[in-house]
Amino acid sequence: MTKMCATVSRRCHCAALLAVLLAGVNAAATAAATAAATGASSDATLQPSWTFAGYGSAGVVHSSEQAADFTANALNPGSAGHSRRYAYDVDSRLAGQINLVVDARWSAVVQVVSERDVDHDFSPSVEWANLKYRYSPDLSVRVGRIALPVFLVGDYRKASYALPWVRPPVEVYSALPISHSDGVDLSYRWGAGLANNTTQLSFGSTRLRVSPTAHANASHLIGLSNTTTLGALTVRGSVMTTRLTVDFAKPLFDVYRQFGAAGAALADNFDVSNKRTSVATLGTSYDPGNWFVMAELGYLDADSYLGDKTVSYLSAGYRWDALTPYATWSNASANQSTVVAGLPLGGLPPQLAPVAGALNAQLNGLLSRIAVQRTISAGLRWDYMRDRSLKLQYDRLVTRGGSAGTLLNIQPEFRSGQPMHAVSVMLDVVF
């Protein structure tokens, strides 16, 4: 791959090659499958082969917010702000990937990523591990752990080098922190006039830790995605539905159910227990080479305290030799109230009223985590050498309506509505 990127000024070309690499596509297998489809005896000549590749990001973030921690993903929580004045764990990660090509039809990929997790360490985890069968040059099936085809850069959201920014806009991408599922997907490539399309249908499930003691289970996961390319234009639309269970707040709702019909109704409404969760996204980018514009809109409804929300961003940048200045506006809004009255305290026995009040406060604390915020970002990317980039990014984030937004480790003195500022420096490499 590095040999194919002739100069750093062709960063967009290198990023596209990286995206293909991270998707587990091997050029030799593709050529062999094409030869097989046209009648050539490729199976006899193609020998099993494997390749290794990887990517890494080393970053530091400073946040002006002293009563909370700035983070890009709740499952990989950073500690910039209250915990540390300068944090190295918000975006830093290291990944390695092995691609195996058996013959014209069979291939496999395994990717392992080391990044901060909910245990506050960098223990490696398997991001992808799947076996692929290419029925024809246009139709293939994969089985195993597979990237979710949701969001415009969802397939390679963790590979910062392939992105123009330090990180994908947090309002959009932290709304669905799950990046893979265990199951099967079908992929079909087809044409419509001058446009090329890739349609993916996914079935699976996933289980992951959301805290040192709690887990999230997404079962009966079904996703449909279509990516259309027409010259410099790319459009991706996706929908996904799953049954979601998160036991993080189960003790809270177990106590609620002891308060009769009113408490049971609140628990049934807000508990994440086998709740139908739906996601729909539409993203587009136009990148003729010297400049780019990207935009994305998403709708997510978890039918629980996780929220019903709409997220979006608009980003643009201009490439001037090895430098790419860019700017981004992103937003997250709630389609529901983030404050509820909870259990009525009137009429309760004196010994139970304080308990009910504490339950209501905890419930509203959960609802305050539904992100209602807006961020304006400006940054500069410098491709100072082949397969290396250095990025500087400034973010001005404002939470609204009592929400804590995407911030974590909220302290009692935190006040929603006060702007916070974050400065990030990131070194990205691919190898």
Side-chain angles (χ1 to χ4, degrees):
M1 173 179 166
T2 57
K3 295 180 181 179
M4 298 178 67
C5 297
T7 63
V8 293
S9 63
R10 295 182 59 83
R11 188 216 59 83
C12 57
H13 179 55
C14 294
L17 289 172
L18 177 65
V20 172
L21 173 68
L22 297 176
V25 179
N26 184 280
T30 303
T34 303
T38 59
S41 180
S42 60
D43 286 336
T45 59
L46 181 66
Q47 298 297 319
S49 63
W50 65 276
T51 58
F52 174 80
Y55 60 88
S57 298
V60 59
V61 181
H62 169 71
S63 170
S64 66
E65 179 58 67
Q66 298 299 305
D69 286 338
F70 176 82
T71 189
N73 187 325
L75 300 181
N76 311 111
S79 57
H82 174 75
S83 298
R84 291 186 177 92
R85 183 174 177 84
Y86 296 94
Y88 302 90
D89 53 11
V90 178
D91 307 289
S92 299
R93 61 178 57 89
L94 180 66
Q97 176 173 312
I98 295 176
N99 295 320
L100 172 65
V101 175
V102 179
D103 56 30
R105 299 193 182 276
W106 292 96
S107 61
V109 60
V110 175
Q111 183 183 111
V112 176
V113 178
S114 175
E115 58 187 343
R116 188 180 181 184
D117 57 25
V118 294
D119 291 320
H120 309 300
D121 60 27
F122 281 77
S123 298
S125 62
V126 177
E127 182 70 13
W128 302 339
N130 58 76
L131 180 66
K132 181 176 181 177
Y133 177 73
R134 187 183 299 273
Y135 181 79
S136 73
D138 296 325
L139 178 63
S140 62
V141 58
R142 293 183 295 179
V143 178
R145 179 160 293 181
I146 304 163
L148 284 177
V150 180
F151 295 127
L152 190 61
V153 298
D155 297 338
Y156 51 97
R157 61 196 291 181
K158 295 187 178 184
S160 179
Y161 178 84
L163 308 174
W165 328 283
V166 165
R167 65 188 70 87
V170 296
E171 283 78 7
V172 176
Y173 282 78
S174 68
L176 183 66
I178 300 172
S179 58
H180 60 249
S181 70
D182 299 325
V184 58
D185 85 339
L186 299 172
S187 179
Y188 181 64
R189 298 188 303 176
W190 53 283
L194 298 177
N196 296 312
N197 296 272
T198 300
T199 301
Q200 292 176 261
L201 181 61
S202 306
F203 305 89
S205 63
T206 189
R207 174 180 170 85
L208 48 88
R209 299 178 68 191
V210 295
S211 80
T213 59
H215 293 80
N217 291 281
S219 62
H220 304 92
L221 189 153
I222 302 173
L224 178 64
S225 172
N226 186 79
T227 303
T228 301
T229 58
L230 178 61
L233 177 67
T234 299
V235 179
R236 170 178 260 190
S238 59
V239 292
M240 187 185 77
T241 181
T242 186
R243 286 286 180 180
L244 184 63
T245 297
V246 182
D247 55 16
F248 177 77
K250 185 177 184 300
L252 170 66
F253 295 111
D254 286 345
V255 177
Y256 257 122
R257 289 187 172 92
Q258 299 178 24
F259 279 80
L266 285 167
D268 292 342
N269 189 29
F270 291 107
D271 192 9
V272 190
S273 179
N274 196 33
K275 287 292 183 71
R276 174 65 64 187
T277 299
S278 302
V279 179
T281 68
L282 179 64
T284 183
S285 70
Y286 187 78
D287 189 342
N290 289 334
W291 56 276
F292 69 87
V293 175
M294 302 173 66
E296 203 155 4
L297 176 67
Y299 170 77
L300 303 95
D301 184 9
D303 193 26
S304 64
Y305 69 81
L306 294 179
D308 177 350
K309 48 197 171 185
T310 300
V311 295
S312 58
Y313 74 84
L314 174 65
S315 183
Y318 181 80
R319 299 187 182 98
W320 180 58
D321 197 13
L323 298 177
T324 306
Y326 60 87
T328 305
W329 172 92
S330 53
N331 183 72
S333 58
N335 304 321
Q336 66 178 77
S337 174
T338 57
V339 179
V340 296
L343 283 171
L345 304 184
L348 288 176
Q351 66 272 23
L352 293 182
V355 177
L359 292 176
N360 293 339
Q362 291 183 54
L363 176 57
N364 281 304
L366 290 175
L367 293 176
S368 73
R369 302 314 313 278
I370 299 174
V372 182
Q373 70 180 42
R374 182 171 298 158
T375 299
I376 298 176
S377 306
L380 178 66
R381 173 182 176 134
W382 177 30
D383 288 272
Y384 64 94
M385 63 180 296
R386 188 167 54 190
D387 299 335
R388 305 287 187 271
S389 69
L390 185 65
K391 300 173 186 173
L392 174 66
Q393 182 169 310
Y394 163 77
D395 300 288
R396 182 184 187 273
L397 184 153
V398 181
T399 59
R400 295 171 290 148
S403 170
T406 58
L407 304 177
L408 296 179
N409 194 20
I410 308 302
Q411 302 301 302
E413 63 270 22
F414 174 79
R415 296 294 179 266
S416 180
Q418 298 296 317
M420 61 147 287
H421 310 273
V423 177
S424 307
V425 179
M426 173 77 83
L427 173 65
D428 295 320
V429 301
V430 294
F431 52 89

